[in-house]
Amino acid sequence: MRTPHLIETHPHQEWFIGEQTEYNGEDDLVDELLSKGDDEDDDPWTPPNHRRGSRRKPRGRLAALSFGAKAVVGILVLAAFLTLADRWALLYAERRAADTLKDRLHLAAAPEVEIDGFPFLTQLADERLDSVKVTVPDVAADRVSLAQVTATATDVRLDTDGPASVRGADVPHLEGDVLLSFADLNRELGASQVTFTGEGHDRVRARGTLPVAGHDLRLRAEARIVRNGERGIATHIGGMRLDIGDLATYRPGARTAQGLHLSRTSVARLAHETRKAKALLSIPSVVRRLGVPDSLVQEALRNESKLTDLIGTPRFLRQAMRLNLIDLALEHPKLLALLGFDPALLDALPRLTRPVLTDQLSLGFRLPEPPSGQVRLRDVRVEKDGIRVRLEGAGLAVGR
């Protein structure tokens, strides 16, 4: 029961409390405090968030970003697989084309084939290739193998039964070049001791040694390179000579300056080798060819001082160098032996005619005729490493 009452706390101070709750001792007070605590525990406890400015991102935006990233990754993976498939198809087609060219052209080795353009599968589906480059390392042509033939065909039309079956191809236009290297010429011509070098835009110089009857003769020759028809080149050999040490020089041919002649060094030595000089002047036919008066010859044969004066004159040197020793070898073989010539060499030299030597040094060749269409050579030029000729073709068919 609640009753108003007056509490006297101090003699000079009074508080009116109003209605005062009566407690039955200390137990009622404890129960009321516990009941208030139970009311406050109804809400669940959560840990405090101490992060400054922390905000939760909207879940919709995260989902959109995740889906976009997955889509981009998927597209990249698909593009990678498509590119890989295209490159594998390209490599397979290049290998098949190389094998076909090897069989159709009867080549010793398969050529290198490069198909340009991307993607390849769309070109194959369209039955048309933008550009195809073919490199053949060795093509048999007459006596030599061409070091390299490179050609690029454009707008190639395919004959197919579908992407997986290609029967052949039509090549409307083709351009390239042929390289005949000097290194291959040395090997192919069997003259490994002869080296060819370019000299000017259309000339080749040959230098080296040529074995003849057990002697290594020094070879010198010049060749002019010209186009021969539409599929070949020819060589015109000039300035050909074979030096037999410092004894003599052999130039093939029937002209006065050609044949076998003593060298200037060999003729000059006659002034100190009186025995050889007297043997030469003792033959009337030689004296006539030298154009020396008989009176001077007789004085020279009797007096060595006169002999030295005669064979030391510039006129005698010139006349002695003009003697064709091939003719003398037939008439006076002992005289040539006395001058230092090997009889076996003298017997072999006349067989080294100009056509024989020209054939050994010839750099000419002809391209094989294609099964269809035409191929022709243009713009022959000599370079440092060999002879290069521009190549053109039209109306070619491959694989049929």
Side-chain angles (χ1 to χ4, degrees), residues 8-14:
E8 184 176 347
T9 60
H10 194 272
H12 302 286
Q13 184 179 16
E14 293 181 352

Side-chain angles (χ1 to χ4, degrees), residues 176-178 233 365 377-380 387-391:
D177 57 46
V178 177
I233 65 172
F365 69 87
L377 302 177
R378 305 284 296 270
D379 300 336
V380 180
I387 302 169
R388 192 178 296 275
V389 189
R390 190 162 66 89
L391 180 73

Side-chain angles (χ1 to χ4, degrees), residues 220-240:
R220 297 183 183 182
E222 310 291 337
R224 187 167 65 91
I225 310 300
V226 295
R227 187 163 62 92
N228 182 18
E230 292 188 344
R231 299 201 321 276
I233 65 172
T235 52
H236 298 297
I237 308 296
M240 188 185 305

Side-chain angles (χ1 to χ4, degrees), residues 181-365:
S181 73
F182 294 136
D184 288 339
L185 285 173
N186 297 339
R187 182 185 69 253
E188 296 286 343
L189 297 180
S192 58
Q193 295 176 319
V194 177
T195 59
F196 297 90
T197 55
E199 190 172 282
H201 70 281
D202 64 346
R203 295 186 182 276
V204 175
R205 181 177 62 186
R207 296 289 187 271
T209 59
L210 187 67
V212 180
H215 297 268
D216 289 334
L217 309 185
R218 292 197 303 270
L219 171 68
R220 297 183 183 182
E222 310 291 337
R224 187 167 65 91
I225 310 300
V226 295
R227 187 163 62 92
N228 182 18
E230 292 188 344
R231 299 201 321 276
I233 65 172
T235 52
H236 298 297
I237 308 296
M240 188 185 305
R241 57 182 286 182
L242 294 170
D243 294 330
I244 308 171
D246 60 356
L247 177 62
T249 298
Y250 176 71
R251 294 181 175 88
R255 296 180 181 178
T256 303
Q258 296 170 339
L260 181 63
H261 300 270
L262 292 172
S263 67
R264 180 179 296 275
T265 301
S266 182
V267 172
R269 280 203 302 260
L270 290 176
H272 306 284
E273 300 172 346
T274 56
R275 180 167 173 262
K276 295 180 180 180
K278 287 181 179 180
L280 191 64
L281 294 174
S282 63
I283 301 174
S285 59
V286 174
V287 173
R288 287 195 299 270
R289 292 172 184 173
L290 291 173
V292 181
D294 291 338
S295 59
L296 294 179
V297 172
Q298 295 302 322
E299 290 181 3
L301 292 176
R302 292 193 299 265
N303 188 322
E304 289 192 3
S305 178
K306 295 289 186 181
L307 177 62
T308 303
D309 293 341
L310 174 61
I311 62 180
T313 60
R315 184 175 184 276
F316 180 85
L317 292 175
R318 290 194 301 268
Q319 292 299 107
M321 291 177 61
R322 291 177 182 176
L323 289 175
N324 192 340
L325 302 180
I326 294 295
D327 299 335
L328 291 179
L330 298 175
E331 300 174 2
H332 308 282
K334 293 183 179 180
L335 174 62
L336 273 295
L338 179 63
L339 293 176
F341 288 93
D342 182 3
L345 180 61
L346 293 173
D347 183 62
L349 284 176
R351 292 196 293 270
L352 288 177
T353 61
R354 187 175 184 83
V356 171
L357 286 175
T358 299
D359 184 64
Q360 292 187 21
L361 299 175
S362 176
L363 308 179
F365 69 87

Side-chain angles (χ1 to χ4, degrees), residues 81-91 117-122:
F81 274 109
L82 291 176
T83 302
L84 183 62
D86 187 85
R87 294 300 92 185
W88 275 109
L90 174 64
L91 293 175
F118 180 83
F120 166 72
L121 291 175
T122 58

